[in-house]
Amino acid sequence: MNMLKGRSLVSITDYSKDEIIQILDLAEEFEKNQRQKILDQYVIASLFFEPSTRTRLSFESAVQYLGGSIIGFASADTSSVKKGESLKDTILTVSCYSDLIVMRNPMDGSARYASEVSPVPIINAGDGVNQHPTQCLLDLYSIRKTQGSLENINIVMIGDLKYGRTVHSLVQALTLFGATFHFVSPESLKMPSSVKTWIKNAGLEYHQYSDIMDVMPIADILYMTRIQGERFPDPLEYEKVKNSYILNKQMLEGSKDNMRVLHPLPRVNEINEDVDDSPKAYYFQQAKNGVYVRQALIAAILDLK
Ligand code: CP
């Protein structure tokens, strides 16, 4: 029985370990055979109140590979939100035109609220600094593909761990698989205590560092993140930390053979372009994996697989 049928995905914690694995296995099937016209006559709405390249376009690509139609907007400026329409009214209206809604919104908690008022399932494509569960699923897919398993990995997360919604979701998911966490950040961008408590409650370990090289030799996954200028209440604080970590190819010497560099992207300065041709760079393939995972998610929620 498909337990994901008709359910919204707001937080990665909405899914059990088995449900996560269900999506990853299905994504593998789509990677082998991407063009399956199972979404014929379905309409998916894509509401992006915040900028996006990968999430929005990979959802659009996923829908089109599945033979469905997609409607929506890439900016709130082109919708009636600009005239003052509420989120509730927007969701109730768009649900009249679609079978499922994908939404990115800058407000924490907006996706949960949308899922409570919507008659059709909501997929959270990022809500403020809170959650980015579809990114989390594609990160898990990429980790499993490169490491052969999700169990007991050493993951190093680097950069903006305070405002980074992708790392918050990924920590929560990886606690289901027994990871050991290594956090590298400036003092002002440390992982929030709520996330660290989550790890402790799962009986797992985390370690904090200020220098990437202290942890490079033990990393299975180096998960780089952008320091997000747009999240800082004070631009001067951003200026102080914006170039704290810049990974270059030479720094990868001495890392494990299986180690791979992931990044949710976009990058700004935090990975030098000389890393791109290293066999350890995996971030563009990671972005590609997003299409398979989003195909799987749509197919599971609409009970087409
Ligand atoms: N990784 C990610 O969410 O990228 P976009 O902001 O381009 O969607």
Side-chain angles (χ1 to χ4, degrees):
M1 186 171 169
N2 173 19
M3 299 299 287
L4 302 181
K5 177 183 174 183
R7 272 171 55 193
S8 293
L9 173 59
V10 172
S11 163
I12 196 64
T13 58
D14 294 344
Y15 279 11
S16 66
K17 184 173 177 176
D18 284 349
E19 288 164 346
I20 288 173
I21 291 169
Q22 177 188 336
I23 293 296
L24 304 190
D25 290 347
L26 192 50
E28 236 170 46
E29 187 188 318
F30 282 113
E31 182 170 2
K32 288 184 193 125
N33 179 15
Q34 191 170 35
R35 294 162 209 269
Q36 301 186 40
K37 302 294 178 198
I38 56 174
L39 213 54
D40 184 33
Q41 299 183 11
Y42 283 85
V43 178
I44 309 299
S46 157
L47 310 184
F48 277 71
F49 297 85
E50 217 186 30
S52 169
T53 297
R54 276 146 293 275
T55 311
R56 186 172 69 81
L57 295 180
S58 63
F59 264 113
E60 290 193 9
S61 172
V63 170
Q64 295 195 16
Y65 277 122
L66 296 176
S69 303
I70 189 145
I71 59 169
F73 49 79
S75 154
D77 288 350
T78 59
S79 76
S80 285
V81 171
K82 183 85 175 162
K83 302 175 204 159
E85 187 167 40
S86 68
L87 180 59
K88 179 180 178 185
D89 287 3
T90 303
I91 294 294
L92 288 176
T93 304
V94 175
S95 68
C96 299
Y97 310 144
S98 58
D99 300 293
L100 184 156
I101 298 174
V102 177
M103 183 182 85
R104 172 173 288 187
N105 189 290
M107 198 169 46
D108 295 17
S110 52
R112 181 69 65 199
Y113 174 72
S115 74
E116 285 166 3
V117 299
S118 177
V120 301
I122 300 284
I123 297 179
N124 181 7
D127 62 325
V129 300
N130 187 33
Q131 281 275 331
H132 194 349
T134 67
Q135 178 70 42
C136 181
L137 288 166
L138 79 89
D139 292 342
L140 293 172
Y141 186 81
S142 302
I143 294 169
R144 190 172 79 163
K145 205 166 167 63
T146 59
Q147 305 301 311
S149 164
L150 283 169
E151 300 291 340
N152 303 318
I153 62 158
N154 272 294
I155 183 159
V156 180
M157 297 179 164
I158 299 163
D160 178 359
L161 307 185
K162 179 178 179 183
Y163 297 115
R165 59 192 172 197
T166 63
V167 287
H168 301 163
S169 297
L170 190 54
V171 166
Q172 288 176 318
L174 281 174
T175 57
L176 298 171
F177 299 92
T180 302
F181 299 92
H182 305 272
F183 300 141
V184 185
S185 69
E187 188 61 32
S188 61
L189 293 176
K190 279 186 156 175
M191 191 60 91
S193 53
S194 58
V195 179
K196 291 189 278 200
T197 301
W198 186 282
I199 296 169
K200 276 192 183 160
N201 288 345
L204 298 173
E205 286 178 26
Y206 67 84
H207 306 277
Q208 299 185 94
Y209 312 77
S210 54
D211 186 342
I212 301 181
M213 298 315 289
D214 287 346
V215 71
M216 186 67 80
I218 61 162
D220 296 312
I221 293 291
L222 207 61
Y223 194 95
M224 298 295 297
T225 65
R226 178 175 64 95
I227 302 211
Q228 307 172 89
E230 70 275 22
R231 305 275 182 220
F232 280 71
D234 178 354
L236 286 177
E237 288 303 310
Y238 170 64
E239 288 300 318
K240 282 186 205 162
V241 293
K242 69 178 183 186
N243 288 324
S244 297
Y245 298 105
I246 301 178
L247 186 71
N248 63 46
K249 197 171 184 174
Q250 196 187 359
M251 291 165 74
L252 301 180
E253 285 170 18
S255 62
K256 289 162 77 173
D257 289 346
N258 64 295
M259 193 279 275
R260 291 294 177 273
V261 180
L262 269 60
H263 190 313
L265 304 177
R267 71 172 150 185
V268 184
N269 287 327
E270 60 279 3
I271 303 180
N272 264 357
E273 287 192 9
D274 70 355
V275 178
D276 294 358
D277 60 12
S278 161
K280 295 184 175 177
Y282 195 75
Y283 28 93
F284 289 111
Q285 180 62 44
Q286 180 188 359
K288 186 171 184 178
N289 292 342
V291 182
Y292 314 131
V293 165
R294 289 171 175 126
Q295 285 183 281
L297 200 51
I298 292 166
I301 292 174
L302 294 177
D303 201 29
L304 300 169
K305 277 283 178 182

